[in-house]
Amino acid sequence: MKVTVVGTGYVGLVTGACLAQVGNQVLCVDVDTDKVARLQTGDVPIHEPDLPAMVQEGIAGGRLRFTTDVAEGVTHGDFLFIAVGTPPDEDGSADLRHVLAVAGDIGRHLQRPVTVINKSTVPVGTAQKVRARIAAVLQDRAADIVFDVVSNPEFLKEGAAVADFMKPDRIIIGADNVAAVERMRALYAPFNRNHDRLIIMDPPSAELTKYAANVMLATKISLMNELAGLAERMGADIEQVRRGIGADPRIGYAFIYPGCGYGGSCFPKDVRALEHSARQYDFDAPLLAAVEKVNDRQKGLLEQKVVSALGEDLTGKTIAVWGLAFKPNTDDMREAPSRVLMEALWRRGAQVQAYDPVAMEEARRIYGGERALRLCPDPYMACEGAEALVICTEWQQFRSPDFVRMHSLLRQSLIVDGRNIYDPAVVRAEGFVYHAIGRP
């Protein structure tokens, strides 16, 4: 099948590479000429396991191409995926300018019937807006061309996006007619062989399903962090509580790990966008506001723990930070807890020595001019001469460190663990003062 994907961010690039992997002819379109030039050589600009090899294989096999020419993309595809960003506006709403701009481009260059697939995360009603924009441009051209608009939200986890696409737990199809559904069923057949993962619904329901999924997961995280705050004050251990409630199959163990808050490109943006949509529909949704409020408070908790141990004035003190990405297996630092922590420490006069396995270049891009930041090539080098070590990301390589070496490098044997990756008894037996989340 001939597939066009407009947008080569996380969603677009993974979608294009995976569809090419199963034999489709895929053309990816982006306005960023530098990014397209890199991708044409197989150089993937984001850190995502398995994605570079898949892109390079698709290029070598002639199934995956990249261009800046949107007209070529519209002409190429029988399936036209819209996978551009929907950044938040100041009021929290999703900015649909890029989505609707692509819809206008489709209307201008469309020559034959196609299926337009909205892969971007968008508010309810966007499929209708996309349909209206394409139809209006076609009318201006006096062109009578049939097309369908399908809502097909993504459910890709950064760090596991390729695996999520190749072996999905569900494929949501929001469509208005049977013919469009059957075309989507054929496109996704290679990913749907074991059992039927397609869930068919109307476009508004599909659009809300994406937001509902992310908000549900964000709510679990914020609720667990709220319980962690209670546990800490009551003398209970939230990790024992987590195991106790996770054993209930109605709750389960997923997304009930306490920590220093969620970040990334999805949860914060989608919670705010759904909250904004609720206001537009004159619906009071206090729980959505509470989810975000708890998360914002949680991101400031690491600073509070450092200050409680070292004092309000951190001038002349150095703090080591392990983990800069918002989660493991990605270099994404958007809304990462590490950023809130480091910026708070700098305001208090502290120096930061930081290490992350893959997000160092991203940190340089964001904070290249910050004199109070030293990016270290080794996690132990970050500890050298520091008053405390703060763990912001639960990378596997941090789980079994050389405590003796850490003890010799740190000026004070203080660990603030924002992800509860250590056993308190073990760390304290090694001679450290240990502060975690929700643990007495």
Side-chain angles (χ1 to χ4, degrees), residues 282-364:
D282 196 26
F283 180 78
D284 185 26
L287 183 56
L288 297 180
V291 169
E292 184 179 8
K293 181 178 179 181
V294 170
N295 192 60
D296 289 343
R297 181 181 67 188
Q298 202 70 13
K299 288 182 180 180
L301 191 58
L302 297 181
E303 177 202 5
Q304 295 173 22
K305 290 181 178 292
V306 170
V307 167
S308 68
L310 301 178
E312 297 279 345
D313 185 3
L314 299 178
T315 303
K317 291 182 169 61
T318 298
I319 308 298
V321 174
W322 281 6
L324 298 172
F326 84 94
K327 61 179 285 189
N329 298 320
T330 181
D331 60 352
D332 194 345
M333 289 180 61
R334 284 175 287 185
E335 305 219 27
S338 65
R339 297 180 63 170
V340 175
L341 170 67
M342 292 192 297
E343 290 167 14
L345 294 175
W346 294 330
R347 286 193 295 271
R348 292 182 179 274
Q351 299 283 316
V352 173
Q353 295 180 169
Y355 170 78
D356 188 283
V358 302
M360 302 293 268
E361 283 304 314
E362 180 66 1
R364 283 191 189 92

Side-chain angles (χ1 to χ4, degrees), residues 93-332:
S93 63
D95 185 346
L96 297 179
R97 283 179 296 173
H98 302 305
V99 170
L100 296 178
V102 175
D105 289 335
I106 291 171
R108 275 185 288 278
H109 301 293
L110 196 60
Q111 301 296 330
R112 67 183 191 282
V114 296
T115 303
V116 178
I117 305 158
N118 196 7
K119 202 74 174 169
S120 301
T121 300
V122 293
V124 171
T126 302
Q128 183 57 41
K129 291 179 180 179
V130 168
R131 182 182 292 109
R133 177 64 61 89
I134 296 172
V137 177
L138 287 174
Q139 186 175 16
D140 290 343
R141 290 174 49 199
D144 185 14
I145 302 172
V146 176
F147 67 94
D148 285 303
V149 176
V150 173
S151 178
N152 175 219
E154 53 85 15
F155 298 95
L156 307 177
K157 299 185 294 292
E158 289 188 36
V162 170
D164 285 345
F165 197 102
M166 298 300 289
K167 296 182 179 179
D169 48 21
R170 79 279 207 196
I171 303 168
I172 302 294
I173 305 295
D176 289 326
N177 64 72
V178 174
V181 170
E182 292 309 309
R183 287 194 293 274
M184 295 298 294
R185 189 181 298 278
L187 180 65
Y188 277 112
F191 313 97
N192 197 38
R193 296 177 65 85
N194 183 270
H195 63 274
D196 190 4
R197 297 177 174 88
L198 260 69
I199 302 176
I200 311 302
M201 57 185 71
D202 57 86
S205 296
E207 291 164 339
L208 182 55
T209 296
K210 169 61 179 178
Y211 280 108
N214 279 351
V215 169
M216 180 68 74
L217 297 175
T219 300
K220 291 183 73 174
I221 294 171
S222 281
L223 177 58
M224 203 65 193
N225 284 333
E226 188 120 293
L227 292 172
L230 276 175
E232 201 166 308
R233 286 157 179 77
M234 293 174 170
D237 186 338
I238 195 62
E239 290 298 326
Q240 295 183 39
V241 174
R242 177 183 64 79
R243 290 193 292 271
I245 65 174
D248 186 331
R250 296 171 301 175
I251 299 173
Y253 291 103
F255 285 83
I256 61 168
Y257 288 86
C260 51
Y262 59 75
S265 63
C266 295
F267 286 8
K269 174 175 71 72
D270 292 352
V271 170
R272 293 171 198 147
L274 190 57
E275 187 181 357
H276 179 270
S277 292
R279 291 196 299 270
Q280 283 190 312
Y281 284 89
D282 196 26
F283 180 78
D284 185 26
L287 183 56
L288 297 180
V291 169
E292 184 179 8
K293 181 178 179 181
V294 170
N295 192 60
D296 289 343
R297 181 181 67 188
Q298 202 70 13
K299 288 182 180 180
L301 191 58
L302 297 181
E303 177 202 5
Q304 295 173 22
K305 290 181 178 292
V306 170
V307 167
S308 68
L310 301 178
E312 297 279 345
D313 185 3
L314 299 178
T315 303
K317 291 182 169 61
T318 298
I319 308 298
V321 174
W322 281 6
L324 298 172
F326 84 94
K327 61 179 285 189
N329 298 320
T330 181
D331 60 352
D332 194 345

